[in-house]
Amino acid sequence: MTSRPLPGHPQLHYRDDALYLEDQRLSDLAREHGTPLYVYSQAAMLQALAAYQRGFAGRKVQICYAMKANSSLAVLQLFARHGCGFDIVSGGELERVIAAGGDPGKVIFSGVGKTRAEMRQALQAGIGCFNVESEAELEVLSAVAQSMGLRAPVSIRVNPNVDAKTHPYISTGLKDNKFGIAHERTVATYQRAAQLPGLRVVGIDCHIGSQITEESPYLDAMDRLLDLVQAIEAAGIAIQHLDFGGGLGIDYNGDRPPAADALWAQLLAKLDARGYGQRQLMIEPGRSLVGNAGVCLTEVLYLKPGEHKNFCIVDAAMNDLPRPAMYQAYHGIVPLEAGATGQAAQVYDVVGPICESGDWLGRERSLSVAPGDLLAVLSAGAYCSSMGSTYNTRPRPAELLVDGAGTHLIRTREGISDIYRNERLIPAKA
Ligand code: LLP
């Protein structure tokens, strides 16, 4: 038997011609559980976490997994068991953390539009910190906390105005983005926060974007953040923790992001040089912990040759894998059984059954396929299931977590009646 790894995808490899995740043959899982099917590797998730943990050895750090990347309860449970807190952006995410056994004390609450009800819910649960994104939010949070006889722990998200050099929809640290407080307003905003009776200033944070593949935007953002810490502390307000957000990219298509430990070695050297190396640190990684730990399995339904294009129509679609439609994102697509068909390779657009031209998963891919063959869409651990929908009344796929030679069914396939459970018919005509 020969084993061939897929670069950038730990735990995914061909044994002879069959694709495996850890010790599971993926075609067996597809046959047993049906398609579309998300399959995640526990070992790959823990390996990704370990790279951060190595990078921060000997430091005071809280890793808060940005659960919007993949909020399945078992994934949260796994990260909670390994010491993670969570970066949340809604009351719903907080409920998931609690349902998964996570510690609300290790939760930070980000997002530009927290409602009063969400603030109350988070205060009641005793979350670790609110990452406040506007001056208006600061006032409301103080009033809500005061009405409960509490003081809300706050960090202000600053917008360092650095270009993360990523897709515009997932770039968040530029002046014109809706996120954070302009760095010119930061000291005044901290002064206001320090006066408000319902608040307790605990930290500062920034997050400049997602799928970042270079080190320089991080280094620039860190410099700006530390300049601000200096100015805030000179104004007499103590900052306990420094939160540098998430954003580290993964290899989708030959991308070469730095490894988490290598990136942090550089960032920590800068922190040390500027005298902040012993502060409590927080980070909010999402994609880099789960993205390349997962695949979405799909079956080829039809091949449709055309004059200009050939289409490979599969049973997964933009409701299961929304990133290509939303960001023109690239996901690798590979056969589960290479060389099974004996078909000559042809160039296809791989598309789903949804009635939209935007419903494509991959463009101009060379594949040797026949109807009934199984394919894996790669890098599907992050922002796929969590961004999925039931558009076209397509039930959400099942999800499996592979652990060595064992698998856990962590989400059953949704039933059609689950989709319309909350809908009501209007009264019959008299
Ligand atoms: N912290 C905050 C405040 C965030 O807004 C985000 C992501 C993260 C942390 C985690 O970033 P990560 O480590 O995953 O890059 N749906 C898009 C990505 C949206 C990211 C939104 N914010 C995609 O599929 O590419």
Side-chain angles (χ1 to χ4, degrees):
M1 181 196 69
T2 57
S3 178
R4 185 162 56 85
L6 272 77
H9 301 270
Q11 305 299 337
L12 196 61
H13 56 281
Y14 282 101
R15 290 186 193 169
D16 293 330
D17 281 338
L19 190 63
Y20 279 72
L21 190 62
E22 300 193 23
D23 290 323
Q24 286 288 334
R25 187 173 183 150
L26 289 172
S27 57
D28 290 345
L29 298 182
R31 282 194 196 97
E32 187 181 339
H33 296 275
T35 52
L37 178 70
Y38 301 108
V39 190
Y40 311 123
S41 155
Q42 175 168 316
M45 290 183 186
L46 294 180
Q47 249 170 282
L49 177 62
Y52 280 100
Q53 289 166 331
R54 260 196 321 275
F56 284 103
R59 307 284 177 154
K60 285 182 277 185
V61 67
Q62 178 61 58
I63 300 174
C64 291
Y65 166 55
M67 61 180 281
K68 63 170 81 70
N70 184 325
S71 52
S72 295
L73 293 183
V75 172
L76 306 183
Q77 192 186 12
L78 181 69
F79 285 123
R81 273 189 194 161
H82 287 82
C84 289
F86 298 93
D87 169 57
I88 65 165
V89 288
S90 71
E93 287 195 341
L94 178 55
E95 274 198 47
R96 280 185 176 273
V97 169
I98 293 168
D103 176 359
K106 294 185 187 170
V107 164
I108 52 182
F109 193 168
S110 303
V112 297
K114 303 173 193 80
T115 65
R116 286 174 169 79
E118 287 175 321
M119 290 172 179
R120 274 192 292 273
Q121 176 195 356
L123 284 163
Q124 233 142 30
I127 68 157
C129 186
F130 289 84
N131 286 355
V132 173
E133 303 233 15
S134 66
E135 297 174 56
E137 182 192 337
L138 211 54
E139 304 288 330
V140 171
L141 180 59
S142 175
V144 170
Q146 224 190 341
S147 75
M148 297 171 73
L150 297 171
R151 293 178 76 184
V154 296
S155 157
I156 291 173
R157 175 168 176 185
V158 300
N159 187 331
N161 194 24
V162 301
D163 185 355
K165 300 181 188 142
T166 181
H167 189 283
Y169 282 12
I170 54 177
S171 179
T172 53
L174 281 168
K175 256 216 301 259
D176 289 343
N177 296 131
K178 69 178 175 181
F179 298 100
I181 285 171
H183 67 288
E184 301 81 7
R185 291 286 309 153
T186 303
V187 176
T189 309
Y190 269 94
Q191 281 168 328
R192 178 69 186 145
Q195 284 166 359
L196 285 169
L199 303 182
R200 182 162 54 86
V201 171
V202 293
I204 187 166
D205 71 284
C206 73
H207 168 79
I208 55 174
S210 198
Q211 186 53 19
I212 302 169
T213 54
E214 293 174 35
E215 282 143 12
S216 59
Y218 275 107
L219 290 160
D220 293 349
M222 178 175 275
D223 263 329
R224 297 206 174 174
L225 196 83
L226 296 181
D227 291 346
L228 290 170
V229 174
Q230 220 172 339
I232 296 160
E233 295 198 325
I237 300 165
I239 300 289
Q240 292 158 29
H241 77 242
L242 313 176
D243 174 349
F244 293 101
L248 179 59
I250 60 170
D251 180 359
Y252 283 103
N253 185 21
D255 306 290
R256 291 278 165 269
D261 49 352
L263 172 68
W264 277 98
Q266 284 201 45
L267 288 166
L268 290 170
K270 181 184 275 295
L271 267 183
D272 286 341
R274 294 199 51 178
Y276 293 96
Q278 290 314 309
R279 291 286 171 112
Q280 171 70 41
L281 306 174
M282 313 260 258
I283 51 164
E284 308 165 2
R287 185 191 322 263
S288 52
L289 292 180
V290 291
N292 275 346
V295 291
C296 180
L297 309 185
T298 183
E299 183 181 326
V300 176
L301 299 175
Y302 303 104
L303 297 178
K304 184 171 169 179
E307 204 178 317
H308 300 294
K309 264 183 187 304
N310 300 315
F311 292 100
C312 170
I313 303 168
V314 299
D315 67 355
M318 65 188 282
N319 69 304
D320 311 304
L321 294 155
R323 303 190 67 260
M326 283 189 75
Y327 319 110
Q328 294 77 47
Y330 182 98
H331 285 259
I333 301 177
V334 300
L336 296 198
E337 304 289 330
T341 59
Q343 306 284 324
Q346 290 222 50
V347 174
Y348 295 100
D349 276 11
V350 180
V351 300
I354 285 183
C355 300
E356 300 252 0
S357 296
D359 180 27
W360 58 277
L361 306 180
R363 287 192 166 138
E364 297 183 5
R365 305 299 175 87
S366 173
L367 292 166
S368 332
V369 278
D373 283 358
L374 295 163
L375 300 172
V377 180
L378 306 184
S379 312
Y383 301 114
C384 291
S385 156
S386 62
M387 287 174 66
S389 75
T390 57
Y391 186 39
N392 280 205
T393 306
R394 291 171 49 87
R396 288 172 216 271
E399 294 179 46
L400 300 179
L401 184 67
V402 169
D403 177 12
T407 53
H408 306 287
L409 177 63
I410 62 169
R411 181 181 191 131
T412 58
R413 190 172 300 281
E414 195 168 31
I416 300 295
S417 56
D418 295 332
I419 300 178
Y420 60 75
R421 178 187 305 148
N422 297 329
E423 299 176 33
R424 299 289 178 269
L425 295 171
I426 54 173
K429 266 193 182 162

